[in-house]
């Protein structure tokens, strides 16, 4: 931003005003675990029944980059949690050469040119209509809007008919991720059966697309076939996309809009878009839609002076590491120093980050277009209770 725009922004915004609602959102999702973790003041602390909790950004990054000693396979790891549901080959639960090979094969599906075109095709028209609806005075629930956008993108990604990805499916997917507890390293057998039933519903359509799509491929499952993925690998990727790619986006976008509104930045960005990238990064930093990452210790090591042994579970509290940089502040932009830690680091940096950023930019642009013509206000909101990823169940915007 220019010096004049920065000074104007500083004068018109309200630093820290977002914290009260963000605190409500976090506590509604995790009324027991969130207060427990939020009280931790040490960079590393061993917590009974949870694991070795790491809260300092550089230590978190160090663990993520050290895949020889800290792995996504092993006791208490993502593999322990997700392999019974998704199968053995879905990036979430892989390490080493197999992980690298699968990531390389999936990489073309998340190249910027592909995801930008996909986003424009699936939600570009809906975003343009969102601007018109807000300007007409319609009340718009941002949570329902984002869920619709996520459904449009996911249906295209995994080869589903649009009417299959409805509110009922999102409810069933949320029920699956809602089984996750920090105090419970794996799903129970009944939970595994219910989770597989939900994913079987999805993959029945995706398998058909994998086998019978045209030439050139029109759906992502068929593209996966062209890229050399086996049918089982493709179906595991489909399940992982749905489970990890929908709730995080539905969590983040309404929370970002709420933060922009609460701090006064919505009006600032509507008048001057030069701070938009910094605001998005700061929103990702203070919300951290994937608030915790898990690793299993594979070899003796130390984390910040705390000794860990093979089989120990490491809980990387990324939301605490990110939030330690301070309140939402696109002018100072402390997010820039964290190198997108909210998306991970190293070999496991989120493969879907370009797609998420394309969708974020599209919806935020539509809201800012409306806010540039008339101020917008949040007229109703509710925090979502009992969900894995903290968020709102309802966040209603209206022209003020």
């Amino acid at each position: 931003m220019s010096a004049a725009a920065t000074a104007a922004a500083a004068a018109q915004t309200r630093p820290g005003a977002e914290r009260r609602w963000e605190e409500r959102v976090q506590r509604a999702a995790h009324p027991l675990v969130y207060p427990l973790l939020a009280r931790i003041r040490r960079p590393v602390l061993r917590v009974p029944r949870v694991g070795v909790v790491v809260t300092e950004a550089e230590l978190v990054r160090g663990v993520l980059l050290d895949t020889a000693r800290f792995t996504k396979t092993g006791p208490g790891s993502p593999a322990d949690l997700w392999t019974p549901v998704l199968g053995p080959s879905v990036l979430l639960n892989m390490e080493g050469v197999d992980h690298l090979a699968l990531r390389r094969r999936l990489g073309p599906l998340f190249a910027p040119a592909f995801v930008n075109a996909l986003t424009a095709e699936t939600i570009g028209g809906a975003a343009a209509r969102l601007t018109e609806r807000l300007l007409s005075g319609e009340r718009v629930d941002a949570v329902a809007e984002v869920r619709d956008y996520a459904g449009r993108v996911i249906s295209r990604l995994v080869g589903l008919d649009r009417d299959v990805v409805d509110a009922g499916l999102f409810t069933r997917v949320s029920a699956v991720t809602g089984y996750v507890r920090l105090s419970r390293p794996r799903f129970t057998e009944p939970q595994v059966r219910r989770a597989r039933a939900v994913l079987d519903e999805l993959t029945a359509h995706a398998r058909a697309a994998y086998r019978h799509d045209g030439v050139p491929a029109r759906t992502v499952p068929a593209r996966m076939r062209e890229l050399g993925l086996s049918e089982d690998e493709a179906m595991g990727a489909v399940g992982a996309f749905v489970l990890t790619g929908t709730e995080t986006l539905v969590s983040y976008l309404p929370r970002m809009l709420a933060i922009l509104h609460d701090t006064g930045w919505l009006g600032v960005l509507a008048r001057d878009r030069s701070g938009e990238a910094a605001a998005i990064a700061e929103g990702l930093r203070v919300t951290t839609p994937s608030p915790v990452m898990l690793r299993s210790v594979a070899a003796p090591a130390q984390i910040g002076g705390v000794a860990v042994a093979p089989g120990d579970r490491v809980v990387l509290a990324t939301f605490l590491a990110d939030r330690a940089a301070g309140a939402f502040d696109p002018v100072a932009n402390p997010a820039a120093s964290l190198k997108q830690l909210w998306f991970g680091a190293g070999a496991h940096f989120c493969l879907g980050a370009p797609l998420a950023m394309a969708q974020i930019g599209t919806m935020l642009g539509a809201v800012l277009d409306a806010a540039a013509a008339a101020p917008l206000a949040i007229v109703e909101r509710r925090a979502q209770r009992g969900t894995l990823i903290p968020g709102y169940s309802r966040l209603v915007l209206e022209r003020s």
Side-chain angles (χ1 to χ4, degrees):
M1 298 178 72
S2 67
T6 298
Q12 296 176 47
T13 55
R14 301 179 293 277
E18 83 284 2
R19 290 182 175 180
R20 291 187 298 277
W21 268 104
E22 273 295 304
E23 189 76 6
R24 286 193 195 183
V25 165
Q26 294 277 7
R27 288 178 178 272
H30 300 288
L32 299 178
V33 171
Y34 171 74
L36 171 69
L37 294 182
R39 285 198 298 269
I40 295 176
R41 295 293 180 267
R42 300 181 190 176
V44 186
L45 181 66
R46 191 179 293 273
V47 178
R49 298 187 63 216
V50 173
V52 179
V53 180
V54 184
T55 68
E56 198 274 328
E58 285 308 308
L59 294 177
V60 169
R61 187 180 304 282
V63 170
L64 292 173
L65 294 176
D66 188 350
T67 57
R69 293 186 294 180
F70 305 104
T71 175
K72 296 185 88 170
T73 63
S77 71
D80 230 13
L81 190 65
W82 292 113
T83 297
V85 174
L86 295 169
S89 303
V90 292
L91 293 185
L92 291 173
N93 55 4
M94 299 173 70
E95 287 288 1
V97 293
D98 291 338
H99 170 268
L100 181 60
L102 180 56
R103 186 180 177 94
R104 282 176 174 166
R105 281 184 283 170
L106 288 170
L109 299 177
F110 296 97
F114 180 80
V115 300
N116 289 340
L118 173 70
T119 301
E121 180 181 337
T122 53
I123 68 173
R129 289 190 294 275
L130 170 61
T131 302
E132 296 170 358
R133 290 162 56 202
L134 287 169
L135 289 177
S136 72
E138 180 181 341
R139 289 189 167 194
V140 175
D141 179 6
V143 177
E145 191 76 11
V146 179
R147 190 174 289 123
D148 175 65
Y149 293 2
R152 292 169 186 264
V153 173
I154 288 295
S155 64
R156 174 63 186 278
L157 263 182
V158 304
L160 300 177
D161 292 336
R162 178 65 187 92
D163 57 3
V164 173
V165 187
D166 58 9
L169 176 62
F170 278 103
T171 299
R172 294 191 291 279
V173 168
S174 294
V176 172
T177 57
Y179 296 150
V180 178
R181 296 287 184 275
L182 277 181
S183 59
R184 186 173 58 218
R186 59 186 64 86
F187 294 137
T188 65
E189 282 302 317
Q191 288 172 341
V192 169
R193 287 194 295 271
R194 290 193 289 271
R196 283 179 174 169
V198 172
L199 293 176
D200 285 347
E201 176 186 352
L202 290 171
T203 56
H205 299 267
R207 286 183 190 278
Y210 179 93
R211 296 169 184 171
H212 304 302
D213 196 41
V215 179
R218 293 169 295 120
T219 65
V220 168
R223 288 282 307 276
M224 291 178 183
R225 183 191 65 226
E226 290 184 344
L227 293 167
L229 275 73
S230 71
E231 185 170 322
D232 285 344
E233 286 174 331
M235 295 310 103
V238 164
F241 291 158
V242 173
L243 288 174
T244 63
T246 54
E247 283 203 273
T248 51
L249 201 65
V250 174
S251 162
Y252 171 66
L253 269 164
R255 288 169 73 186
M256 178 183 68
L257 293 175
I259 288 170
L260 293 176
H261 171 273
D262 294 345
T263 58
W265 271 94
L266 191 62
V268 172
L269 293 178
R271 292 185 295 274
D272 178 3
R273 302 289 180 91
S274 62
E276 185 174 339
I280 290 173
E282 274 291 279
L284 286 163
R285 178 184 68 81
V286 300
T287 63
T288 311
S290 297
V292 166
M293 300 176 189
L294 301 176
R295 292 296 186 268
S296 182
V297 178
Q302 287 204 349
I303 307 173
V306 175
V308 293
D312 280 347
R313 185 193 201 201
V314 180
V315 178
L316 303 174
T318 45
F319 81 100
L320 290 176
D322 290 340
R323 204 168 63 178
F328 178 81
D329 185 357
V331 175
N333 193 17
S337 66
L338 289 168
K339 302 176 184 176
Q340 300 185 83
L341 185 61
W342 45 90
F343 284 138
H348 293 286
F349 187 85
C350 178
L351 186 64
L355 179 59
M357 294 301 289
Q359 293 178 75
I360 289 166
T362 298
M363 183 175 184
L364 178 58
V367 172
L368 291 178
D369 286 345
L376 299 178
I378 294 175
V379 296
E380 181 185 348
R381 65 174 120 183
R382 289 198 300 270
Q384 178 73 42
R385 297 188 177 279
T387 185
L388 174 63
I389 308 297
Y392 288 97
S393 61
R394 187 168 173 82
L395 184 93
V396 180
L397 296 171
E398 186 181 29
R399 179 175 179 171
S400 61

